[in-house]
Amino acid sequence: MRPDLPSLLLWLVLPPLLCQAEGRATRSFVVDRQHDRFLLDGVPFRYISGSLHYFRVPRVLWADRLLKMRMSGLNAVQFYVPWNYHESEPGVYNFNGSRDLIAFLNEAAKANLLVILRPGPYICAEWEMGGLPSWLLRKPNILLRTSDPAFLAAVDSWFNVLLPKIYPFLYHNGGNIISIQVENEYGSYKACDYNYMRHLAGLFRALLGDTILLFTTDGPLGLKCGSLQGLYTTIDFGPADNMTKIFSMLRNYEPHGPLVNSEYYTGWLDYWGQNHSTRPSPTVAQGLEKMLKLGASVNMYMFHGGTNFGYWNGADEKGRFLPITTSYDYDAPISEAGDPTPKLFAIRNVISKFQEIPLGPLPPPSPKMKLGPLTMNLDGSLLAFLDFLCPHGPIHSVLPLTFEAAKQDHGFMLYRTYLTYTVFEPTPFWVPNNGVHDRAYVMVDGVFKGILERNLKHELYLTGKAGATLDILLENMGRLSFGSNHSDFKGLLEPPLLGQTILTEWMMFPLKVDKLVRWWFPLQLMKRAQPQAPPTVPAFYSTTFSVVGPLGDTFLYLPGWTKGQVWINGFNLGRYWTKRGPQQTLYVPKLLLFSRSMNKITLLELENAPHDPQIQFLDKPILNSTLHWGYTYFLSETQRSFEPMELSGH
């Protein structure tokens, strides 16, 4: 009897599906506790991995960076997923462009790299608020990273969107994700809420199943609160640490199974006002070789650091507030501009002693270019653009509101009130309880009077007539990503005082600076109306330029400028702080530039523009300037009182 067509089609389709299912059944990544090793598809396996953050690298450069990692001998890439990068408002998700997580997983697969995924919800990573969305703080009493129902509800909602997206990419499902980290260095957080960790573990299992390997990562002193039964325990440390002692501490929590260092530090982060961090290549290479001889699996943090574009840098709190630089070069084996360094070749040489290195040379450094100097033109003071920066008008309140209460996630907000009486003698203007978060630029009737800064500068002396306008531009320098057990609200956290008088009746202007730069400034509608005399800062400056010849990566240098934000062709390149350092140049990938049309650069200078307002593009970065504090209030005794910095985690 002849089979009907549907039956025939079924038999034609079934064999491939059965083969595929059978092939997937053989895919596995498990812990072999009897022999202290991993097994990949039943075969002994050790990963040599490196960290790269897709959110710090433009999408068109992902493939280049991943290829260089693979050609260095790595067989895996480890990366975080920052919640706040994908859910900017509750229930509003973005997985497009440089946020396309699935595209990055596919690029890793093309580079023949396995994936170790770290979805948080908290990630640290020296990233704004450790990856947690700032809108969580609109509930001011929320307890982050605990079993607070308000926090868990937000986490559950987010993971019910994120985890189903990655489920098809789990290794046993045919993808390249071999393991997933739960939370991040939770043992370094004082809450030590085991119910929270159990909730997360249950959520991961409910959405991803029981097959995928789940693990935790902590520093040596964080294992007690960071580890959890049912999750594989790993540790992190750098080349200067006592490897034997730390691995023995790990064995107290994970007696059997492979040794894993989930963050072997190839370099370190930079803070504004401190020296650029470096770690010698021989020291890093020797430590790596020692671990590999022990049979350990290792992830190098970072293998390529990238850049904190825009407002995305985080901050630490180690006795004072320490915002992190725009550059996240990290002294990593692959530089911020994507170039192989001597450290990469030292590491590659070590790896070659333990496993085969892919054949072929590493791609060469990208072409670099110089340009300038270019003269910046004054567009006008920030106050002159207030109607365009805040088109919907101000929020009125008797007492000042925080950024979070005003739903201003990043950047700047202007606070305005009017003096109710004449202040004849210089009178202290201050905010109690270190209530400036993070930096305040104070103006009276449009004239710049000085700065208040979190932890460092608490008082100014002001005079003014009754009815004078008092403006305070508040800058959010990045929310705490590590080193704190409290929520990092931004703005004026307390009502300011003038003498002993509490100032009230405030207007808050949440400023949409990026929209102004991207859409309105190109029209140059107000430029002709600006006076020739230099305005009071903060002020906008801009110029246009063309590139003759082939485009190349470059580094923006701002000699003589003080502090501010910079945009190229509407793209927010990040913060500069020339006066404080150590970073002096900002990385400009060539993809941001036009070769056949005019380019536009815009600066928002917050403090003091140079008499000769010029900029340059260099072919080499300057990441470690000699510190030169440009403010009289940084008294030597205050600086001497700062304690040496302890190292933070990630």
Side-chain angles (χ1 to χ4, degrees):
M1 188 174 95
R2 198 179 77 160
D4 59 10
L5 186 58
S7 299
L8 182 61
L9 288 175
L10 179 64
W11 281 106
L12 287 172
V13 171
L14 263 179
L17 288 177
L18 289 171
C19 291
Q20 188 176 14
E22 184 178 342
R24 286 186 179 181
T26 64
R27 291 174 63 89
S28 62
F29 180 75
V30 298
V31 173
D32 178 1
R33 296 183 185 275
Q34 184 177 354
H35 299 98
D36 295 334
R37 64 191 181 184
F38 289 121
L39 297 176
L40 184 72
D41 299 338
V43 178
F45 176 78
R46 176 246 297 286
Y47 63 74
I48 304 176
S49 172
S51 289
L52 179 154
H53 298 155
Y54 64 93
F55 43 92
R56 285 186 162 115
V57 179
R59 176 172 177 164
V60 297
L61 299 176
W62 289 348
D64 172 79
R65 306 312 194 244
L66 290 165
L67 173 63
K68 287 169 181 169
M69 293 174 72
R70 181 69 188 109
M71 296 301 291
S72 300
L74 306 186
N75 54 17
V77 57
Q78 178 173 287
F79 62 91
Y80 290 116
V81 180
W83 180 3
N84 56 8
Y85 197 58
H86 294 283
E87 190 178 2
S88 59
E89 290 287 332
V92 179
Y93 303 101
N94 187 349
F95 289 92
N96 301 315
S98 288
R99 291 170 168 80
D100 193 337
L101 172 63
I102 302 307
F104 187 75
L105 287 168
N106 286 326
E107 289 291 354
K110 291 177 186 176
N112 199 24
L113 289 168
L114 297 169
V115 168
I116 302 159
L117 192 68
R118 311 172 90 185
Y122 165 83
I123 64 170
C124 184
E126 286 76 61
W127 189 253
E128 153 76 14
M129 202 166 149
L132 301 178
S134 62
W135 49 258
L136 291 169
L137 301 181
R138 295 175 192 171
K139 296 180 178 179
N141 296 321
I142 195 169
L143 298 175
L144 304 174
R145 302 177 72 193
T146 71
S147 50
D148 179 350
F151 183 65
L152 291 185
V155 170
D156 290 355
S157 177
W158 161 237
F159 276 156
N160 271 279
V161 171
L162 174 66
L163 297 186
K165 286 181 179 292
I166 66 170
Y167 180 78
F169 293 86
L170 303 182
Y171 187 77
H172 61 272
N173 289 336
N176 52 350
I177 301 173
I178 56 172
S179 60
I180 295 178
Q181 180 178 297
V182 177
E183 241 278 350
N184 186 70
E185 292 179 325
Y186 190 66
S188 298
Y189 195 57
K190 296 177 184 177
C192 198
D193 186 341
Y194 289 111
N195 288 331
Y196 165 62
M197 287 294 288
R198 291 189 190 101
H199 179 91
L200 289 182
L203 185 61
F204 276 74
R205 287 296 178 213
L207 294 172
L208 298 178
D210 295 330
T211 303
I212 186 69
L213 176 66
L214 300 180
F215 71 98
T216 61
T217 298
D218 285 282
L221 301 180
L223 291 168
K224 181 176 185 296
C225 288
S227 59
L228 189 71
Q229 188 173 1
L231 307 180
Y232 195 74
T233 305
T234 75
I235 205 160
D236 54 34
F237 59 87
D241 296 311
N242 186 327
M243 183 183 306
T244 303
K245 178 181 178 181
I246 291 174
F247 274 145
S248 68
M249 294 171 70
L250 177 62
R251 281 298 184 214
N252 292 330
Y253 292 86
E254 204 65 76
H256 303 288
L259 297 169
V260 178
N261 185 345
S262 288
E263 291 186 4
Y264 178 61
Y265 303 117
T266 62
W268 202 249
L269 60 138
D270 288 347
Y271 301 114
W272 291 113
Q274 297 188 12
N275 288 325
H276 174 54
S277 300
T278 60
R279 289 193 173 167
S281 299
T283 304
V284 174
Q286 290 162 14
L288 176 63
E289 184 166 2
K290 188 175 179 181
M291 274 188 291
L292 295 182
K293 284 180 177 178
L294 293 175
S297 284
V298 182
N299 174 73
M300 284 168 273
Y301 190 106
M302 297 288 299
F303 208 83
H304 172 53
T307 307
N308 293 315
F309 293 116
Y311 309 110
W312 286 112
N313 66 278
D316 281 357
E317 190 173 58
K318 307 288 179 65
R320 62 184 171 115
F321 179 70
L322 293 166
I324 290 154
T325 57
T326 301
S327 172
Y328 200 65
D329 177 86
Y330 213 84
D331 194 35
I334 299 175
S335 75
E336 182 180 13
D339 297 331
T341 67
K343 187 176 290 182
L344 182 149
F345 292 101
I347 288 170
R348 191 177 190 234
N349 182 56
V350 168
I351 295 173
S352 69
K353 299 176 183 179
F354 297 88
Q355 60 190 40
E356 289 187 8
I357 300 291
L359 296 175
L362 276 162
S366 63
K368 308 296 189 298
M369 71 175 191
K370 292 181 179 180
L371 189 68
L374 306 172
T375 298
M376 301 296 291
N377 302 308
L378 171 65
D379 290 317
S381 69
L382 178 140
L383 295 179
F385 294 98
L386 192 55
D387 289 343
F388 299 94
L389 289 164
C390 189
H392 299 296
I395 302 166
H396 295 263
S397 176
V398 174
L399 300 178
L401 302 177
T402 63
F403 275 51
E404 293 74 23
K407 298 186 177 181
Q408 178 78 346
D409 294 316
H410 308 290
F412 304 90
M413 188 155 73
L414 185 80
Y415 293 76
R416 172 173 286 177
T417 192
Y418 301 97
L419 299 185
T420 57
Y421 60 93
T422 298
V423 181
F424 293 101
E425 298 295 328
T427 301
F429 171 76
W430 56 293
V431 182
N433 300 318
N434 196 28
V436 171
H437 282 202
D438 299 307
R439 201 167 166 84
Y441 307 90
V442 181
M443 294 156 276
V444 177
D445 282 338
V447 178
F448 183 70
K449 296 297 183 181
I451 297 162
L452 300 178
E453 184 174 356
R454 182 173 177 175
N455 296 122
L456 294 177
K457 171 66 172 169
H458 300 293
E459 190 176 78
L460 285 175
Y461 284 81
L462 300 180
T463 61
K465 296 180 180 180
T469 303
L470 174 63
D471 286 319
I472 310 169
L473 179 67
L474 254 293
E475 181 184 10
N476 169 0
M477 285 290 294
R479 289 182 180 82
L480 292 170
S481 51
F482 187 88
S484 172
N485 198 41
H486 61 81
S487 301
D488 189 17
F489 297 96
K490 297 301 186 183
L492 293 177
L493 307 195
E494 301 266 352
L497 279 78
L498 188 57
Q500 296 302 314
T501 302
I502 297 176
L503 300 178
T504 59
E505 302 301 332
W506 289 91
M507 291 180 282
M508 275 67 59
F509 297 81
L511 303 184
K512 308 302 180 187
V513 184
D514 291 76
K515 286 187 177 180
L516 180 81
V517 172
R518 188 178 300 121
W519 303 114
W520 193 88
F521 267 176
L523 302 177
Q524 298 180 319
L525 294 178
M526 286 186 64
K527 200 164 186 180
R528 294 186 300 273
Q530 291 300 317
Q532 295 301 310
T536 183
V537 288
F540 289 101
Y541 293 78
S542 66
T543 194
T544 57
F545 63 94
S546 59
V547 179
V548 179
L551 288 175
D553 290 346
T554 187
F555 303 90
L556 176 63
Y557 181 42
L558 299 148
W561 298 82
T562 306
K563 184 183 192 303
Q565 204 83 17
V566 58
W567 294 260
I568 290 187
N569 293 325
F571 179 84
N572 193 331
L573 208 59
R575 310 177 201 269
Y576 67 89
W577 204 343
T578 311
K579 283 286 195 248
R580 189 167 292 190
Q583 181 180 357
Q584 297 291 298
T585 58
L586 279 77
Y587 170 54
V588 182
K590 69 177 182 180
L591 64 95
L592 297 179
L593 301 172
F594 304 130
S595 60
R596 297 182 181 179
S597 58
M598 296 299 289
N599 297 274
K600 179 157 189 176
I601 180 167
T602 302
L603 301 184
L604 172 58
E605 172 56 54
L606 296 168
E607 296 185 30
N608 187 31
H611 178 72
D612 188 12
Q614 292 191 328
I615 61 168
Q616 299 178 49
F617 292 94
L618 308 181
D619 58 2
K620 294 179 181 178
I622 305 173
L623 296 178
N624 196 23
S625 73
T626 301
L627 300 184
H628 49 287
W629 297 80
Y631 313 102
T632 57
Y633 58 79
F634 286 104
L635 303 177
S636 59
E637 60 267 24
T638 304
Q639 292 191 50
R640 283 199 301 270
S641 70
F642 294 156
E643 296 296 325
M645 293 300 107
E646 296 178 4
L647 300 183
S648 80
H650 297 77

